[in-house]
């Protein structure tokens, strides 16, 4: 099957089953969202939401977060992986936002990536969610789904996957598709026990091909 045909079928199917896919991180402020995305590395959104509900209830402003003790932040986010580094990142992000950006989350990718714990994916997610700037962030779900559906090669890294997806899908669909890929990977095309019997894309799925060998 031609790649262009796959792209069409994927968009059509995702619009059918996930027409309103959106971000599942909860937040009440721009900086809160930025911190939530940073915390979500190697963690589920549900876990992050539980932690940030408590964290931002106690520290209601950037100034309060900046003045909070590292030990207290560590204790509050202890249920998350890499919590010690993430606690340092929270303190550093709060300080940098106050000192360098007047407490405002920057829109520039370079500025975002200069903040502690913010890499390519996190900066893309922030730009997509807060500023509606077209990007195609690639997390584990997006990577897995795009490999299984033959949109990218098995050994492609996240940056290569991002560029290939941007090339194949229309720019005005990137934001929605990013969410649709995530939801599809999270609830349908799971890492373990994917729901292949229900999937209309199984005709060109590498997971099914490899499973039947």
């Amino acid at each position: 099957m031609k790649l262009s045909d796959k792209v069409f079928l994927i968009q059509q199917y995702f619009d059918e089953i996930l027409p309103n896919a959106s971000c599942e991180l909860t937040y009440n402020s721009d900086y809160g969202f930025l911190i939530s995305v940073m915390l979500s590395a190697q963690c589920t959104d549900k876990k992050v939401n539980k932690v940030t509900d408590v964290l931002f209830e106690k520290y209601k402003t950037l100034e309060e977060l900046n003045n909070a003790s590292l030990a207290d932040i560590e204790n509050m986010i202890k249920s998350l992986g890499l919590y010690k580094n993430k606690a340092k990142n929270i303190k550093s992000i709060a300080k940098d936002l106050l000192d360098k950006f007047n407490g405002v989350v920057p829109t520039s990718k370079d500025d975002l990536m200069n903040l502690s714990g913010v890499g390519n994916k996190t900066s893309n997610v922030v730009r997509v969610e807060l500023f509606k700037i077209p990007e195609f962030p690639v997390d584990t779900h997006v990577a897995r789904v795009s490999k299984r559906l033959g949109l990218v090669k098995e050994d492609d890294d996240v940056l290569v996957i991002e560029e290939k997806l941007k090339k194949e899908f229309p720019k005005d669909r990137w934001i929605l598709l990013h969410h649709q890929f995530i939801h599809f990977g999270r609830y349908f095309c799971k890492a373990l026990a994917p729901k292949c019997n229900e999937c209309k894309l199984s005709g060109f799925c590498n997971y099914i091909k490899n499973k039947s060998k």
Side-chain angles (χ1 to χ4, degrees), residues 133-180:
I133 297 170
E135 294 285 4
F136 212 130
V138 176
D139 69 352
T140 54
H141 298 296
V142 178
R144 180 175 67 255
V145 169
S146 51
K147 287 177 182 181
R148 284 180 174 176
L149 296 179
L151 295 170
V152 299
K153 294 178 181 176
E154 196 60 40
D155 59 355
D156 284 345
D157 64 27
V158 290
L159 293 177
V160 172
I161 293 170
E162 181 185 328
E163 287 311 307
K164 287 185 176 180
L165 293 177
K166 281 182 170 181
K167 184 180 175 185
E168 295 304 329
F169 291 96
K171 191 172 184 177
D172 62 355
R173 292 290 304 263
W174 289 356
I175 293 177
L176 176 59
L177 277 164
H178 151 69
H179 292 305
Q180 289 175 325

Coordinates of all heavy atoms in Angstrom, one line a residue, residues 133-180:
I133 N 0.6 26.5 18.3 CA 1.6 26.5 17.2 C 1.7 25.1 16.7 O 1.9 24.2 17.4 CB 2.9 27.0 17.7 CG1 2.8 28.4 18.3 CG2 4.0 26.9 16.7 CD1 4.0 28.9 19.0
P134 N 1.5 24.9 15.3 CA 1.6 23.5 14.8 C 2.9 22.9 15.0 O 4.0 23.4 14.5 CB 1.3 23.8 13.3 CG 0.7 25.1 13.2 CD 1.2 25.9 14.3
E135 N 2.9 21.8 15.7 CA 4.1 20.9 16.0 C 3.5 19.5 16.0 O 2.3 19.3 16.1 CB 4.8 21.2 17.3 CG 5.4 22.6 17.4 CD 6.7 22.7 16.6 OE1 7.1 21.7 15.9 OE2 7.4 23.8 16.7
F136 N 4.4 18.5 15.9 CA 4.0 17.1 16.0 C 4.8 16.4 17.1 O 5.7 15.6 16.7 CB 4.1 16.4 14.6 CG 3.1 15.4 14.4 CD1 2.4 15.4 13.2 CD2 2.8 14.4 15.3 CE1 1.4 14.4 12.9 CE2 1.9 13.4 15.1 CZ 1.2 13.4 13.9
P137 N 4.6 16.7 18.4 CA 5.4 16.0 19.4 C 5.3 14.5 19.3 O 4.3 13.9 19.1 CB 4.7 16.6 20.7 CG 4.0 17.8 20.3 CD 3.5 17.5 18.9
V138 N 6.5 13.9 19.6 CA 6.5 12.4 19.5 C 6.9 11.8 20.9 O 8.0 12.1 21.4 CB 7.6 12.0 18.4 CG1 7.7 10.4 18.4 CG2 7.2 12.4 17.0
D139 N 5.9 11.2 21.5 CA 6.2 10.4 22.7 C 6.2 8.9 22.4 O 6.2 8.5 21.2 CB 5.1 10.8 23.8 CG 3.7 10.2 23.4 OD1 3.6 9.7 22.3 OD2 2.9 10.3 24.3
T140 N 6.2 8.1 23.4 CA 6.3 6.7 23.2 C 5.1 6.1 22.4 O 5.3 5.2 21.6 CB 6.4 5.9 24.6 OG1 5.3 6.3 25.4 CG2 7.7 6.2 25.3
H141 N 3.9 6.7 22.7 CA 2.7 6.2 22.0 C 2.8 6.6 20.5 O 2.5 5.7 19.6 CB 1.5 6.8 22.6 CG 1.2 6.5 24.0 ND1 1.0 5.2 24.5 CD2 1.2 7.3 25.1 CE1 0.8 5.2 25.8 NE2 1.0 6.4 26.2
V142 N 3.2 7.8 20.2 CA 3.2 8.2 18.8 C 4.3 7.4 18.1 O 4.1 7.0 16.9 CB 3.6 9.7 18.7 CG1 3.7 10.2 17.3 CG2 2.5 10.6 19.4
A143 N 5.4 7.2 18.7 CA 6.5 6.4 18.1 C 6.1 5.0 17.8 O 6.3 4.4 16.7 CB 7.7 6.4 19.0
R144 N 5.4 4.3 18.8 CA 5.0 3.0 18.7 C 4.0 2.8 17.5 O 4.1 1.9 16.7 CB 4.4 2.4 20.0 CG 3.9 1.0 19.9 CD 3.4 0.5 21.2 NE 2.3 1.1 21.8 CZ 2.2 2.0 22.7 NH1 3.4 2.4 23.3 NH2 1.1 2.6 23.1
V145 N 3.0 3.7 17.5 CA 1.9 3.6 16.6 C 2.4 3.8 15.1 O 2.1 3.1 14.2 CB 0.8 4.6 16.9 CG1 -0.2 4.7 15.7 CG2 0.0 4.2 18.2
S146 N 3.3 4.9 15.0 CA 3.8 5.2 13.7 C 4.7 4.1 13.1 O 4.7 3.8 11.9 CB 4.5 6.5 13.6 OG 5.4 6.6 14.7
K147 N 5.4 3.4 14.0 CA 6.2 2.2 13.6 C 5.3 1.0 13.2 O 5.5 0.4 12.2 CB 7.2 1.8 14.7 CG 8.3 2.8 14.8 CD 9.2 2.4 16.0 CE 10.4 3.5 16.1 NZ 11.3 3.1 17.3
R148 N 4.3 0.8 14.0 CA 3.4 -0.4 13.7 C 2.7 -0.2 12.4 O 2.4 -1.1 11.7 CB 2.4 -0.6 14.9 CG 3.1 -1.2 16.1 CD 2.1 -1.4 17.2 NE 2.7 -2.2 18.3 CZ 2.0 -2.4 19.5 NH1 0.8 -2.0 19.7 NH2 2.6 -3.1 20.4
L149 N 2.3 1.1 12.1 CA 1.5 1.4 10.9 C 2.4 1.6 9.7 O 1.9 2.0 8.6 CB 0.6 2.6 11.2 CG -0.5 2.4 12.2 CD1 -1.3 3.6 12.4 CD2 -1.4 1.2 11.9
G150 N 3.7 1.4 9.9 CA 4.6 1.5 8.7 C 4.8 2.9 8.2 O 5.2 3.1 7.0
L151 N 4.6 3.9 9.0 CA 4.8 5.3 8.6 C 6.3 5.7 8.7 O 6.8 6.6 8.0 CB 4.0 6.3 9.5 CG 2.5 6.1 9.4 CD1 1.8 7.0 10.5 CD2 2.0 6.6 8.0
V152 N 7.0 5.0 9.6 CA 8.4 5.2 9.8 C 9.1 3.9 10.0 O 8.5 2.8 10.1 CB 8.7 6.1 11.1 CG1 8.0 7.4 11.0 CG2 8.2 5.3 12.3
K153 N 10.5 3.9 10.0 CA 11.2 2.7 10.2 C 11.3 2.3 11.6 O 11.3 3.2 12.5 CB 12.6 2.8 9.6 CG 12.6 3.0 8.1 CD 14.0 3.2 7.5 CE 14.1 3.4 6.0 NZ 15.4 3.7 5.5
E154 N 11.6 1.0 11.9 CA 11.6 0.5 13.3 C 12.8 1.2 14.1 O 12.6 1.4 15.3 CB 11.8 -1.0 13.2 CG 11.5 -1.7 14.5 CD 10.1 -1.5 15.0 OE1 9.2 -1.6 14.2 OE2 9.9 -1.3 16.2
D155 N 13.9 1.5 13.4 CA 15.0 2.1 14.1 C 15.1 3.6 14.0 O 16.1 4.2 14.5 CB 16.3 1.5 13.6 CG 16.5 1.7 12.1 OD1 15.6 2.2 11.5 OD2 17.6 1.3 11.6
D156 N 14.0 4.2 13.5 CA 14.0 5.7 13.5 C 13.9 6.2 15.0 O 13.1 5.7 15.8 CB 12.8 6.2 12.7 CG 13.0 6.1 11.2 OD1 14.2 5.9 10.8 OD2 12.0 6.2 10.5
D157 N 14.7 7.3 15.2 CA 14.6 7.9 16.6 C 13.4 9.0 16.5 O 12.8 9.2 15.5 CB 15.9 8.5 17.0 CG 16.4 9.7 16.1 OD1 15.5 10.4 15.5 OD2 17.6 9.9 16.1
V158 N 13.2 9.5 17.7 CA 12.0 10.4 17.8 C 12.1 11.7 16.9 O 11.1 12.1 16.4 CB 11.7 10.9 19.3 CG1 11.3 9.7 20.1 CG2 13.0 11.5 19.9
L159 N 13.3 12.2 16.7 CA 13.4 13.4 15.8 C 13.2 13.0 14.4 O 12.5 13.8 13.7 CB 14.9 13.9 16.0 CG 15.2 14.5 17.4 CD1 16.6 15.0 17.4 CD2 14.2 15.7 17.7
V160 N 13.6 11.8 14.0 CA 13.4 11.4 12.6 C 11.9 11.1 12.4 O 11.3 11.5 11.4 CB 14.2 10.1 12.2 CG1 13.8 9.6 10.9 CG2 15.7 10.4 12.3
I161 N 11.3 10.5 13.4 CA 9.8 10.2 13.3 C 9.0 11.5 13.2 O 8.1 11.6 12.4 CB 9.4 9.4 14.6 CG1 10.0 8.0 14.6 CG2 7.8 9.3 14.6 CD1 9.8 7.2 15.9
E162 N 9.4 12.5 14.0 CA 8.7 13.8 14.0 C 8.8 14.4 12.6 O 7.8 14.9 12.1 CB 9.4 14.7 15.0 CG 8.7 16.1 15.1 CD 9.5 17.1 16.0 OE1 10.0 16.6 17.0 OE2 9.4 18.3 15.7
E163 N 10.0 14.4 12.0 CA 10.1 15.0 10.7 C 9.3 14.3 9.6 O 8.7 14.9 8.7 CB 11.6 15.0 10.3 CG 12.4 16.1 11.1 CD 11.8 17.5 11.1 OE1 11.4 18.0 10.0 OE2 11.5 18.0 12.2
K164 N 9.3 12.9 9.7 CA 8.6 12.1 8.7 C 7.1 12.4 8.9 O 6.4 12.5 7.8 CB 8.9 10.6 8.9 CG 10.3 10.3 8.4 CD 10.5 8.8 8.4 CE 11.9 8.4 7.8 NZ 12.2 7.0 7.8
L165 N 6.6 12.4 10.1 CA 5.1 12.6 10.3 C 4.7 14.0 9.8 O 3.7 14.2 9.2 CB 4.8 12.5 11.8 CG 4.9 11.0 12.3 CD1 4.6 11.0 13.8 CD2 4.0 10.1 11.6
K166 N 5.6 15.0 10.1 CA 5.3 16.4 9.6 C 5.2 16.4 8.1 O 4.5 17.2 7.5 CB 6.4 17.3 10.1 CG 6.2 17.8 11.5 CD 7.3 18.8 11.9 CE 7.1 19.4 13.2 NZ 8.2 20.4 13.5
K167 N 6.1 15.6 7.5 CA 6.2 15.6 6.0 C 4.9 15.0 5.4 O 4.4 15.4 4.4 CB 7.4 14.9 5.5 CG 7.7 14.9 4.0 CD 8.9 14.1 3.7 CE 9.1 14.0 2.2 NZ 10.2 13.2 1.8
E168 N 4.4 13.9 6.0 CA 3.3 13.1 5.4 C 1.9 13.7 5.7 O 1.0 13.5 4.9 CB 3.4 11.7 5.9 CG 4.6 10.9 5.4 CD 4.8 10.9 3.9 OE1 3.8 10.9 3.2 OE2 6.0 10.9 3.5
F169 N 1.8 14.3 6.9 CA 0.4 14.8 7.3 C 0.3 16.3 7.1 O 1.3 17.0 7.3 CB 0.1 14.4 8.7 CG -0.1 13.0 9.0 CD1 1.0 12.2 9.4 CD2 -1.3 12.4 8.7 CE1 0.8 10.8 9.6 CE2 -1.5 11.0 8.9 CZ -0.5 10.2 9.4
P170 N -0.8 16.8 6.7 CA -1.0 18.2 6.5 C -0.8 19.0 7.8 O -1.2 18.6 8.9 CB -2.4 18.4 6.0 CG -3.1 17.1 6.3 CD -2.1 16.0 6.4
K171 N -0.2 20.2 7.7 CA 0.2 21.0 8.8 C -1.0 21.4 9.7 O -0.9 21.4 10.9 CB 1.0 22.2 8.4 CG 1.6 23.0 9.5 CD 2.5 24.1 8.9 CE 3.2 24.9 10.0 NZ 4.2 25.9 9.5
D172 N -2.1 21.6 9.0 CA -3.3 22.1 9.8 C -3.9 20.9 10.6 O -4.9 21.1 11.3 CB -4.3 22.7 8.9 CG -4.9 21.8 7.8 OD1 -4.4 20.6 7.7 OD2 -5.8 22.2 7.1
R173 N -3.4 19.7 10.4 CA -3.9 18.5 11.2 C -2.9 18.1 12.3 O -3.2 17.2 13.0 CB -4.1 17.4 10.2 CG -5.2 17.5 9.2 CD -6.6 17.5 9.9 NE -6.8 16.3 10.7 CZ -7.4 15.2 10.3 NH1 -8.0 15.2 9.1 NH2 -7.6 14.2 11.1
W174 N -1.7 18.7 12.3 CA -0.7 18.2 13.2 C -1.1 18.1 14.7 O -0.9 17.1 15.4 CB 0.6 19.0 13.1 CG 1.4 18.9 11.9 CD1 1.1 18.0 10.8 CD2 2.5 19.7 11.5 NE1 2.1 18.2 9.8 CE2 2.9 19.2 10.2 CE3 3.2 20.7 12.1 CZ2 4.0 19.8 9.5 CZ3 4.3 21.3 11.4 CH2 4.7 20.8 10.2
I175 N -1.7 19.2 15.1 CA -2.1 19.3 16.6 C -3.1 18.2 16.9 O -2.9 17.5 17.9 CB -2.6 20.7 16.9 CG1 -1.5 21.7 16.8 CG2 -3.2 20.7 18.3 CD1 -1.9 23.2 17.0
L176 N -4.2 18.1 16.2 CA -5.2 17.1 16.5 C -4.6 15.7 16.3 O -4.8 14.8 17.2 CB -6.4 17.3 15.5 CG -7.5 16.2 15.7 CD1 -8.0 16.1 17.1 CD2 -8.6 16.4 14.7
L177 N -3.8 15.5 15.2 CA -3.3 14.1 15.0 C -2.3 13.7 16.1 O -2.3 12.6 16.5 CB -2.5 14.1 13.7 CG -3.4 13.9 12.4 CD1 -2.7 14.3 11.2 CD2 -3.9 12.4 12.4
H178 N -1.6 14.7 16.6 CA -0.7 14.4 17.8 C -1.5 13.8 18.9 O -1.1 12.7 19.5 CB 0.0 15.7 18.2 CG 0.4 15.7 19.6 ND1 1.4 15.0 20.2 CD2 -0.1 16.5 20.6 CE1 1.5 15.2 21.5 NE2 0.6 16.2 21.8
H179 N -2.6 14.4 19.2 CA -3.5 13.9 20.3 C -4.1 12.5 19.9 O -4.2 11.6 20.7 CB -4.6 14.9 20.7 CG -4.0 16.1 21.3 ND1 -3.3 16.1 22.4 CD2 -4.2 17.5 21.0 CE1 -3.0 17.4 22.8 NE2 -3.5 18.2 21.9
Q180 N -4.5 12.4 18.7 CA -5.1 11.2 18.2 C -4.2 10.0 18.3 O -4.6 8.9 18.7 CB -5.7 11.4 16.8 CG -6.9 12.3 16.7 CD -7.4 12.6 15.3 OE1 -6.6 12.7 14.4 NE2 -8.7 12.7 15.1

